[in-house]
Amino acid sequence: AAAAAAAAAAAAAYPTADELTNLVCKRIPGPNLFDATPENLVSYCCGSWTLVQRDIENVLTPALAENVLALLSSLGVQIAFRLREELVNYKKLLLHVHQQGLTVELLLRQLSSFFHDERVRCAGGFSRPSERRGKITDAAMQCKGRCDATYDARLIGKLLCNVPRHPKTRRASELQELPRSLRSWRSAAALLESLEVTDDIVYRETQTASWHATATSTLASQPWPDHIREFVRLVLICRGADKALRIHDELLSVMFNLELWISRAEKALDHLSAQPSPEQVAQQLEETSEQAPDGEECRGTMASAIQCRRHFNLLVGSIPPLREAWFWLRKIEEAAALGATRLFLAGDGRGTPIVRYGTRPEAPPVFCVPYGFQGGSAPEDQRFWQVVQEYTPQMHDILANSGWPASICDRTGGSSQQQRRLQQQMEQNRKQAGIRTLAHVPA
């Protein structure tokens, strides 16, 4: 009798399938949860733990709702929501950091093009870049590596936030192919292959532990009626909890693969550091020019040294941004797990935008970052701006006194109209970047 009474009490705690359907229709605003499909899921409000609480508490009995919410919290749903909110703000910030890098890269590429033919002729029939061109070229290639890395970091953030809402929708191929899908990874891989360096790095295709899989299996094993389990599953899918759990899984995979990339890039950098620099090669060739007068061979040796320097600069520029991205992704996961204060906060400057964030000075984008975040103010970024500020006035002085270099005039046909167009474009880029020439600096 006692067992029968307990069974009857348990059955009374669960609404029937028809009662559940009616309660969902009456008490949950918006589209019906039972009508959700991968195609119409965008119509459902999502992205907050409070939405999950509302749906569960409005439909289930208080005792059952309390048990369900406690179980979901123990499965990491609240952590996953906090993690997602941090990543959304971090992603927006990375876009701004990447755009900052593109601005200085454009200015460095202009300087590199302007001083492209500034070379020093050496004995043996070859030439090497001048000291000024060498500094500009090194900075330009390092900045390119930095921009490749910030592009990858921004892409990773965007891919994490854009994980499909429905579990049956296929995940992005870039996430499936990490780290090989990274732009900067391909550069390091090609370099190791060209150096004939054995790649002993072990790849991992899948996560050994999954927050999403654990939550799914745990819910499926609960002693609830089938329609109750289905209701809870649909709440998680429609309100973004299922997506948030999969974002957490993807983040763990991303952090592992970023470590993998950094290990490989540092390995390639060690091999490049052992190679002689173009200056050392030039000195060796000049010392042996009498014994090896073959100018073609000297030029080939110098070209190889310059190519190694190019790869070296790309890696030097790309490693720090991705190392910082790995560090802050790890901090984001730790903060979400502890329920700590928000690390990143990003707001879009609105108005009538010409670019993504708008151009109204009274409505700029707002970014709040934690102490220690470098972004576009790292030491290497400061060094890039120093190169721009040092050599841009020199370029303007040459333009004012001697006009355009012959190499640029030859490529553009040398017409005055084309030269004016080039000068106007460079002046516009200078103003957009906030670069002042010596003539604009007050005494």
Side-chain angles (χ1 to χ4, degrees):
Y14 304 116
T16 65
D18 291 338
E19 291 173 343
L20 182 67
T21 302
N22 291 332
L23 289 172
V24 168
C25 294
K26 293 178 180 179
R27 297 185 179 181
I28 297 180
N32 194 315
L33 298 183
F34 292 105
D35 295 333
T37 64
E39 292 74 24
N40 68 7
L41 204 55
V42 69
S43 302
Y44 293 80
C45 185
C46 72
S48 171
W49 168 252
T50 58
L51 292 174
V52 176
Q53 282 182 303
R54 182 202 65 184
D55 291 354
I56 297 295
E57 292 175 349
N58 285 354
V59 172
L60 302 181
T61 60
L64 179 58
E66 182 180 358
N67 292 336
V68 171
L69 292 174
L71 176 63
L72 295 180
S73 182
S74 68
L75 293 174
V77 174
Q78 285 184 282
I79 293 175
F81 274 123
R82 289 195 294 266
L83 184 70
R84 174 188 172 276
E85 291 175 0
E86 285 280 9
L87 288 174
V88 168
N89 287 275
Y90 183 59
K91 165 184 69 78
K92 293 180 180 180
L93 177 64
L94 289 179
L95 175 61
H96 178 69
V97 171
H98 179 60
Q99 289 174 335
Q100 282 185 313
L102 292 178
T103 299
V104 68
E105 186 196 7
L106 174 61
L107 296 171
L108 287 170
R109 283 194 286 112
Q110 286 180 342
L111 289 172
S112 180
S113 178
F114 188 84
F115 295 107
H116 180 268
D117 285 348
E118 194 173 85
R119 305 182 68 85
V120 177
R121 293 292 172 184
C122 303
F126 66 96
S127 63
R128 60 176 176 83
S130 66
E131 181 180 357
R132 176 166 59 184
R133 183 180 176 235
K135 289 183 179 179
I136 294 173
T137 302
D138 287 347
M141 293 310 300
Q142 289 176 18
C143 190
K144 183 182 185 306
R146 175 205 184 280
C147 289
D148 286 346
T150 55
Y151 172 87
D152 287 337
R154 155 68 181 173
L155 177 64
I156 286 172
K158 187 173 182 179
L159 291 172
L160 287 172
C161 295
N162 288 346
V163 167
R165 288 180 60 178
H166 201 282
K168 292 184 179 179
T169 305
R170 185 176 180 181
R171 55 201 283 254
S173 60
E174 291 88 350
L175 286 175
Q176 298 180 38
E177 297 170 3
L178 280 175
R180 302 174 185 86
S181 58
L182 298 179
R183 180 184 293 181
S184 49
W185 169 276
R186 292 193 290 270
S187 299
L191 175 60
L192 287 176
E193 183 178 351
S194 65
L195 294 175
E196 298 182 354
V197 177
T198 303
D199 184 6
D200 54 0
I201 296 175
V202 179
Y203 300 92
R204 182 175 67 181
E205 299 294 343
T206 57
Q207 284 292 124
T208 55
S210 169
W211 288 87
H212 180 260
T214 301
T216 302
S217 61
T218 301
L219 290 175
S221 64
Q222 295 304 306
W224 305 330
D226 292 343
H227 58 280
I228 298 295
R229 287 198 297 268
E230 178 65 8
F231 165 71
V232 175
R233 186 184 74 87
L234 289 174
V235 168
L236 295 182
I237 292 175
C238 294
R239 303 312 174 197
D242 188 278
K243 171 181 175 175
L245 289 170
R246 284 181 283 118
I247 287 177
H248 198 168
D249 289 339
E250 295 288 4
L251 175 63
L252 296 176
S253 177
V254 163
M255 289 192 295
F256 173 84
N257 285 296
L258 276 181
E259 279 191 287
L260 193 65
W261 183 96
I262 293 169
S263 299
R264 182 169 217 190
E266 290 176 342
K267 181 178 181 179
L269 193 61
D270 289 341
H271 284 273
L272 282 176
S273 300
Q275 304 297 318
S277 66
E279 293 78 11
Q280 293 172 333
V281 170
Q283 182 178 358
Q284 294 173 1
L285 291 176
E286 286 185 316
E287 293 173 353
T288 59
S289 59
E290 296 181 359
Q291 290 79 12
D294 188 353
E296 189 67 30
E297 181 180 349
C298 291
R299 286 191 290 273
T301 303
M302 177 57 69
S304 298
I306 292 175
Q307 186 70 3
C308 283
R309 172 65 69 87
R310 177 180 182 275
H311 288 297
F312 176 84
N313 286 326
L314 284 173
L315 289 176
V316 167
S318 60
I319 291 176
L322 284 182
R323 185 185 287 122
E324 185 182 35
W326 173 83
F327 174 83
W328 286 112
L329 288 176
R330 184 166 56 86
K331 289 296 183 183
I332 285 173
E333 190 205 10
E334 292 175 357
L338 297 173
T341 305
R342 177 79 61 83
L343 293 177
F344 295 93
L345 183 63
D348 299 345
R350 298 301 182 182
T352 306
I354 297 177
V355 295
R356 184 177 182 88
Y357 283 139
T359 55
R360 289 175 50 191
E362 71 275 13
V366 177
F367 301 110
C368 299
V369 300
Y371 176 79
F373 178 80
Q374 292 183 327
S377 301
E380 56 270 14
D381 298 286
Q382 300 300 324
R383 187 172 66 253
F384 299 151
W385 281 112
Q386 289 172 2
V387 172
V388 171
Q389 292 168 346
E390 178 180 358
Y391 294 110
T392 297
Q394 297 181 23
M395 178 182 66
H396 290 165
D397 290 341
I398 294 174
L399 284 172
N401 298 322
S402 306
W404 290 92
S407 59
I408 297 179
C409 291
D410 293 341
R411 290 200 299 270
T412 62
S415 69
S416 59
Q417 181 179 3
Q418 289 170 324
Q419 291 190 35
R420 284 196 301 272
R421 188 182 302 116
L422 282 171
Q423 192 164 2
Q424 291 171 358
Q425 181 63 44
M426 296 181 73
E427 184 70 14
Q428 180 181 359
N429 293 333
R430 181 188 65 79
K431 289 180 179 179
Q432 290 177 351
I435 302 299
R436 297 183 297 178
T437 62
L438 293 177
H440 296 96
V441 177

